[in-house]
Amino acid sequence: MRWMDAMARVSVAEFASAGGLVEVGGVEYDSRRVKRGDVFVAMRGGVADGNRYIESAIAQGAAAIVTDSREAYDVLRLMHPEVGAALVERGRRALAEVSAAILGHPERKLALSAVTGTNGKTTTALLLEQMLRSVGRQCVLIGTIETHVGDEVRDSEHTTPEASDTLRVFADGVKVGATEAVMEMSSHALEQERVWGLPVDVAIFTNLTQDHLDYHGTMEAYLAAKLRLFEGEGAPAPRVAVVNADDAVGEAVIRIAGRSNVMTYGLAGGDYRAEDVVLAAGETRFLFKTPKGDLAIHSPLTGRVNVYNLLAASCAALARGLALEQVAAATEGLRQVPGRFQVVPSRNGVTVVVDYAHTDDALRNLITLARELVKEQRGRVITLFGCGGDRDRTKRPRMGRAAGEGSDLVVLTSDNPRSEEPAAILDEALVGVKETGTECIVEEDRATAIATAIRAAKAGDIVLIAGKGHEKVQILKGGTVPFDDVAVAAGVLAELER
């Protein structure tokens, strides 16, 4: 594609075509990945400035440069007149627009369902994808745990990638016949315009609780970032908005989603409701009440939080054209989501669960579910958790309080301390636990802490290992090391069962 054609729909402040003869074949924002003939989009980020790597990109063979720096643009015109150059105000918007043009606009060939919210994004996205696949539709999935391109499973580096990476996945999906895309849209991605220009057909809101205030600063700013999905990010507003009517900010989402067809769901309210809910370990049943009729739902998922996830995914599936009977049939065969109330097999009567809960609200919901499951056996709830470093510090005592209020024993340990000292993080979380008076064991080493929690349990008890879920590494001050909560727990159980 000619450089001028790739830039045809990009809003530019200044443009140099290098004689109009420059041909481009790809687009990159990481200079290390640039190939001969690529466009390199140099943009300023929160941590790094891509403009520092323009020379490196040219040395790698970049045929054209898009920059959001006037100084870098002027140097380019002077030092590299043979290279196409464009000065833009917003680098991420340009990255999205150039990528879409070069890749042949794959976003226009897929019906996109996008999920946002504090908790439940990953599960809801995976459930919706399974429902769509159950009626024979090929899908692309982009999320926290993994990325799917048809039947191919790839690792995910970020919940929501940069625009060029997303569009490449979409293009790969189109090649294998995909007609649907499902993705998680984080508040960071919406705020940073990483999803600019993606036409969303169905937008889903799960809930809003305190998280990411280290980045957004206030709950108002956090909510505003989420609401951008329902306004349209460089694209029209979604055709359908699926909104949790039971959430405290549900009404605010509905107001913003006024240009969309709104479907509300919930247990207490909403047009699509779950009634006569029956919960058990490995089983959830409810009557799905809808304006189009009622239907019995049976799922192998566990817990009240998964009722909400099932409602959200079911509404989105209906919005994408599935019939009620198809939704009900799909829920029967839904598979467990890794790291979301994942039960580690045990033969000693102790239930061990690994879950991603990493906010006080998610932790409270997890413990409430565990309490319901052990009620008949009069078992105890043992909760292991930690708090992430370099993240919102104000939620640490809140998480400690949530753990202490619902548990019989709390084991406080490291999560991903990152650049912080683990002991300092533990001290801040311990304040909340102490307010409840619940017994608490503090063990900085996570593997030792998991062993301590499981060894403290007796038959009929449930051990919750919270915070990291599906993650396979632990991020420490000295670097990243392999760590898998499920594998560590399974190892401890195997020793006890010998």
Side-chain angles (χ1 to χ4, degrees), residues 375-427:
K375 183 168 55 179
E376 289 188 10
Q377 298 173 296
R378 296 184 179 179
R380 297 181 304 156
V381 175
I382 299 172
T383 302
L384 177 149
F385 83 102
C387 302
D390 301 336
R391 298 294 185 266
D392 178 13
R393 292 175 57 186
T394 66
K395 74 177 183 180
R396 293 172 185 172
R398 293 163 63 103
M399 289 180 67
R401 195 176 306 114
E405 286 173 348
S407 307
D408 298 289
L409 172 65
V410 174
V411 179
L412 182 57
T413 188
S414 288
D415 190 283
N416 291 315
R418 298 182 176 88
S419 70
E420 290 191 59
E421 290 298 332
I425 299 174
L426 296 177
D427 286 345

Side-chain angles (χ1 to χ4, degrees), residues 307-353:
V307 175
Y308 280 103
N309 295 332
L310 283 163
L311 286 171
S314 297
C315 286
L318 292 172
R320 287 299 312 136
L322 270 69
L324 275 172
E325 294 74 16
Q326 290 175 315
V327 170
T331 58
E332 290 274 356
L334 294 172
R335 67 179 176 87
Q336 174 70 47
V337 179
R340 272 60 176 177
F341 208 86
Q342 183 174 350
V343 178
V344 184
S346 169
R347 298 196 301 272
N348 64 2
V350 175
T351 302
V352 178
V353 173

Side-chain angles (χ1 to χ4, degrees), residues 11 19 45 57 87 107 146 151 163 203 281 301 308 315 323 331:
S11 177
L87 175 63
E107 78 283 1
E146 56 196 25
D151 295 329
L301 302 180
Y308 280 103
C315 286
T331 58

Side-chain angles (χ1 to χ4, degrees), residues 360-379:
D360 57 298
D361 183 68
L363 200 55
R364 192 172 288 107
N365 288 335
L366 175 66
I367 294 168
T368 299
L369 168 58
R371 183 65 67 190
E372 291 176 0
L373 296 178
V374 300
K375 183 168 55 179
E376 289 188 10
Q377 298 173 296
R378 296 184 179 179

Side-chain angles (χ1 to χ4, degrees), residues 259-276:
R259 289 176 291 168
S260 305
N261 297 318
V262 177
M263 299 172 68
T264 57
Y265 68 90
L267 276 73
D271 296 326
Y272 295 78
R273 298 189 309 281
E275 296 186 357
D276 303 328

